[in-house]
Amino acid sequence: MDWTDLQHFLALAREGTLSAAARSLGVDHVTVARRVAALEASMSLKLVDRRPRSYELTEDGKRIAKIGAPMAETAFAVARAVQASKSEIGGEITISAPPSLANLLIAPKLIRLLQQHPGIRIKLIGEKRTASLNRREADLALRLSRPTEPGLIARKVGYFEFALYGSPDYFKTTPPHAFAFVAYDSSMDEVPQQRWLMRFAASREIVLRTNDLENQAAAARTGLGLAALPKFLGETDPLLERFDIGGRPVGREVWLVVHRDLRRTPTVRAVAGFIEDCLA
Amino acid sequence: MDWTDLQHFLALAREGTLSAAARSLGVDHVTVARRVAALEASMSLKLVDRRPRSYELTEDGKRIAKIGAPMAETAFAVARAVQASKSEIGGEITISAPPSLANLLIAPKLIRLLQQHPGIRIKLIGEKRTASLNRREADLALRLSRPTEPGLIARKVGYFEFALYGSPDYFKTTPPHAFAFVAYDSSMDEVPQQRWLMRFAASREIVLRTNDLENQAAAARTGLGLAALPKFLGETDPLLERFDIGGRPVGREVWLVVHRDLRRTPTVRAVAGFIEDCLA
DNA sequence: GTCCATCTGTGCGAATTCTCACAACAAGAT
DNA sequence: ATCTTGTTGTGAGAATTCGCACAGATGGAC
């Protein structure tokens, strides 16, 4: 049995579509289709139903995928072990962080890290979705809440507060009872800063909902309304002015997460230390 | 990371040499060498020391091999699951058995099984070394003692006794005190039939030691001396005559072994039933 | 309705990989 | 000493595999 065929099939089972599996493996979707077909041929077993716009696993396929899934886990464990075997500082480290943290706090200071350790190459991915450290989509991650997945080591490295910001002109022309607001879309209704904003807005209008914090900031700058932004973003921007409201401010903790297998790797430790400095 | 590279490296780690790994994988040894080299390159990690006549794992290599070993286990579990998914009777079944049992009790009756189930193809391997059911080197195995490995289901399907045999001429020309004997080589000194033979031979001479039971029978037929042979072998051979001695006869149990994952597979059940009949 | 994004399928040329045959070498048996 | 067996290494041609470009088809957004 060809292990690469199995790898492609397991990726398909995990991702759901040929194309997604292909992206996750870094190959062409045609390759995934061919390898799955080859696996079926070698097993003389139908693993997927080929429907017009989707591949659907057969019962046999589901069972095989379930039994084979630990192979992928182990493969990632091997990858981590390889990374952990590197004793000298260097190589590529992938950092996953919320976009705003990545852009404003990490990226501007990266130059310092690279000067100190010329061998290191950093891959910084600012994504909303949390990258999987288990699958080694990232070596280090910044999260806004403590992760619960097994095998991960989390450490609280910072805390920041939100405040309401708008353009200086906006405050001159608009009385508080006529304020309009900019918020996340409804999928984020449960995060603390959104609840805080909604409670303050009460019946006043939400004129823009966007997934992207940077978009909210841009909207606030142009005078669309008020947005709940981290202070580290709002305070440094001359086009934004804070609007103080009473009550307890809302804030989020920042957790630095690393896989247990990589904890002691010199390169990872160096980068982790650097990130802590950025957040301090 | 290429899973096939890993597969080849793990095979090398398990088998010890390029050639053995290549045999176990069914590929050329050059392929194993290349894939291991490719794996090292992709990891930027030295996994083996290339010595003149052997590959030796480095410390890193040993660690990686240990961490990755479960992948091979899982791959074999998948292979068993595939076999178990076949609902209709048919396909290739591999049986491992001691050579004498295979040749005398199984092989002659195979025709009956194949007539009854034309879809089945049997691969019968008569080997001294016990094939690994976990690695799916065989689907069914006959063993002379109860296996202890986890995951295996064993069932006692037979029992046979040994007796001493020589050629009829030999008994006419040789008095008991001058008997010579034929035995297994010293690696088998601990098996019951060998201990039984040695105790009876006492100080009389062992003129031939051979690994192969068929060779012992042949030697006894030509009048070289007495050999301890299973009764199912000796009694049916006109060129052999039994020499009865007192005391409790020595015998061995026959166990039919199957992996838990394959227990309920129709084809395996059919073949297992057939083997039971052979031994009855 | 139209456009756009996404998914799977097909054909072909290019790049890669594998096997084969042969070589060199060592160890053990004859 | 010679022969056999088993190991790794090298080079070349053949077979395989991959990616690209394009097509068809569907569902959602506008």
Side-chain angles (χ1 to χ4, degrees):
Chain A
M1 174 164 31
D2 185 322
W3 283 25
T4 304
D5 286 350
L6 206 51
Q7 174 187 32
H8 284 66
F9 169 69
L10 292 173
L12 172 63
R14 180 159 47 81
E15 303 288 340
T17 70
L18 280 189
S19 304
R23 272 191 300 275
S24 131
L25 294 169
V27 298
D28 198 276
H29 69 93
V30 185
T31 303
V32 181
R34 273 189 296 238
R35 298 214 82 118
V36 171
L39 186 66
E40 284 183 310
S42 82
M43 290 176 165
S44 322
L45 206 61
K46 203 161 176 312
L47 297 173
V48 292
D49 283 329
R50 287 153 182 84
R51 317 202 123 277
R53 277 185 54 63
S54 69
Y55 268 42
E56 193 169 348
L57 267 62
T58 62
E59 285 307 310
D60 284 338
K62 287 179 191 167
R63 188 170 54 258
I64 299 293
K66 191 170 179 182
I67 294 173
M71 274 186 89
E73 302 303 315
T74 307
F76 289 119
V78 168
R80 289 193 300 269
V82 170
Q83 173 71 288
S85 292
K86 306 286 177 59
S87 54
E88 71 287 352
I89 290 186
E92 182 176 287
I93 296 288
T94 303
I95 306 172
S96 163
S100 52
L101 289 177
N103 296 335
L104 288 169
L105 298 182
I106 311 289
K109 299 181 183 168
L110 269 181
I111 180 75
R112 237 179 48 208
L113 174 68
L114 297 180
Q115 281 170 345
Q116 196 176 348
H117 301 295
I120 295 185
R121 291 187 311 286
I122 295 291
K123 190 170 160 193
L124 180 60
I125 45 179
E127 275 191 325
K128 280 99 189 171
R129 68 178 269 279
T130 55
S132 163
L133 296 183
N134 279 315
R135 284 190 212 138
R136 203 147 177 277
E137 292 167 357
D139 299 304
L140 285 165
L142 282 178
R143 305 232 178 123
L144 300 187
S145 51
R146 176 162 208 158
T148 59
E149 299 132 82
L152 302 187
I153 309 284
R155 183 167 168 192
K156 186 178 160 188
V157 293
Y159 173 81
F160 64 88
E161 291 182 348
F162 287 83
L164 290 180
Y165 291 91
S167 84
D169 281 348
Y170 188 74
F171 292 121
K172 291 192 185 108
T173 61
T174 316
H177 69 84
F179 279 169
F181 294 89
V182 175
Y184 280 112
D185 65 47
S186 56
S187 71
M188 304 278 278
D189 276 351
E190 295 310 312
V191 305
Q193 61 267 37
Q194 179 96 330
R195 298 169 68 96
W196 177 74
L197 174 74
M198 299 302 252
R199 198 165 50 239
F200 178 72
S203 62
R204 286 170 288 187
E205 194 146 15
I206 312 288
V207 291
L208 172 65
R209 280 171 170 274
T210 169
N211 204 10
D212 190 295
L213 194 69
E214 199 49 54
N215 285 346
Q216 295 183 26
R221 278 190 209 100
T222 60
L224 202 62
L226 272 63
L229 303 175
K231 285 185 179 170
F232 67 77
L233 192 161
E235 295 300 321
T236 59
D237 192 325
L239 297 179
L240 289 175
E241 190 177 306
R242 188 173 72 239
F243 180 82
D244 283 313
I245 66 176
R248 224 174 77 243
V250 68
R252 297 295 299 267
E253 298 171 341
V254 184
W255 293 81
L256 177 61
V257 191
V258 60
H259 197 285
R260 193 198 303 128
D261 294 352
L262 298 180
R263 192 175 21 170
R264 307 188 186 288
T265 310
T267 312
V268 170
R269 289 180 75 94
V271 177
F274 160 76
I275 293 180
E276 277 190 64
D277 290 346
C278 291
L279 274 285
Chain B
M1 178 163 28
D2 186 322
W3 283 25
T4 304
D5 286 350
L6 248 181
Q7 175 186 30
H8 284 66
F9 168 69
L10 291 173
L12 171 64
R14 179 160 46 83
E15 303 289 340
T17 70
L18 280 189
S19 305
R23 270 192 302 276
S24 132
L25 293 169
V27 298
D28 198 276
H29 67 93
V30 185
T31 303
V32 181
R34 263 193 309 247
R35 298 214 82 118
V36 171
L39 187 66
E40 284 183 310
S42 83
M43 291 177 164
S44 323
L45 206 61
K46 204 161 175 311
L47 297 173
V48 292
D49 283 328
R50 288 155 180 83
R51 318 202 118 276
R53 280 188 47 66
S54 69
Y55 268 43
E56 192 168 348
L57 268 62
T58 63
E59 285 307 311
D60 284 338
K62 287 180 192 166
R63 187 169 55 254
I64 299 294
K66 190 170 181 183
I67 294 174
M71 272 187 91
E73 302 304 314
T74 307
F76 288 119
V78 167
R80 289 193 300 269
V82 170
Q83 173 71 290
S85 293
K86 307 284 176 63
S87 54
E88 70 287 355
I89 290 186
E92 182 176 288
I93 296 287
T94 304
I95 306 171
S96 163
S100 51
L101 289 177
N103 297 336
L104 288 169
L105 298 182
I106 310 289
K109 300 181 183 169
L110 268 181
I111 180 75
R112 238 180 45 208
L113 174 67
L114 297 180
Q115 279 170 345
Q116 195 176 347
H117 301 294
I120 295 185
R121 293 188 309 286
I122 294 290
K123 190 171 160 192
L124 179 61
I125 47 180
E127 276 191 325
K128 281 101 189 167
R129 71 178 267 280
T130 54
S132 163
L133 294 183
N134 278 316
R135 284 189 211 138
R136 204 148 178 278
E137 291 168 357
D139 299 304
L140 285 164
L142 283 179
R143 305 232 177 125
L144 300 186
S145 50
R146 176 162 207 159
T148 58
E149 299 132 81
L152 302 187
I153 309 283
R155 183 168 168 189
K156 188 177 160 187
V157 293
Y159 173 81
F160 65 88
E161 291 181 348
F162 287 84
L164 289 181
Y165 292 91
S167 86
D169 282 348
Y170 187 75
F171 292 121
K172 291 192 184 109
T173 61
T174 316
H177 68 83
F179 279 169
F181 294 89
V182 175
Y184 281 111
D185 64 48
S186 55
S187 71
M188 304 277 281
D189 277 351
E190 294 312 310
V191 304
Q193 62 267 37
Q194 178 96 328
R195 298 171 67 96
W196 176 74
L197 175 75
M198 299 302 253
R199 196 164 53 239
F200 177 73
S203 63
R204 288 171 287 188
E205 194 146 16
I206 312 288
V207 291
L208 172 64
R209 281 174 168 271
T210 170
N211 203 12
D212 190 296
L213 193 70
E214 199 49 53
N215 285 345
Q216 295 184 26
R221 280 191 207 98
T222 60
L224 203 61
L226 273 62
L229 302 176
K231 285 184 178 171
F232 67 76
L233 191 160
E235 295 301 321
T236 59
D237 191 326
L239 298 177
L240 289 174
E241 189 175 308
R242 190 174 67 239
F243 181 80
D244 283 314
I245 67 176
R248 222 173 80 244
V250 68
R252 298 294 299 266
E253 298 170 340
V254 184
W255 293 80
L256 177 61
V257 191
V258 60
H259 196 285
R260 193 198 304 129
D261 294 352
L262 298 180
R263 191 176 21 168
R264 307 188 186 289
T265 310
T267 312
V268 169
R269 289 180 75 93
V271 177
F274 159 77
I275 292 181
E276 276 189 63
D277 291 345
C278 292
L279 275 285

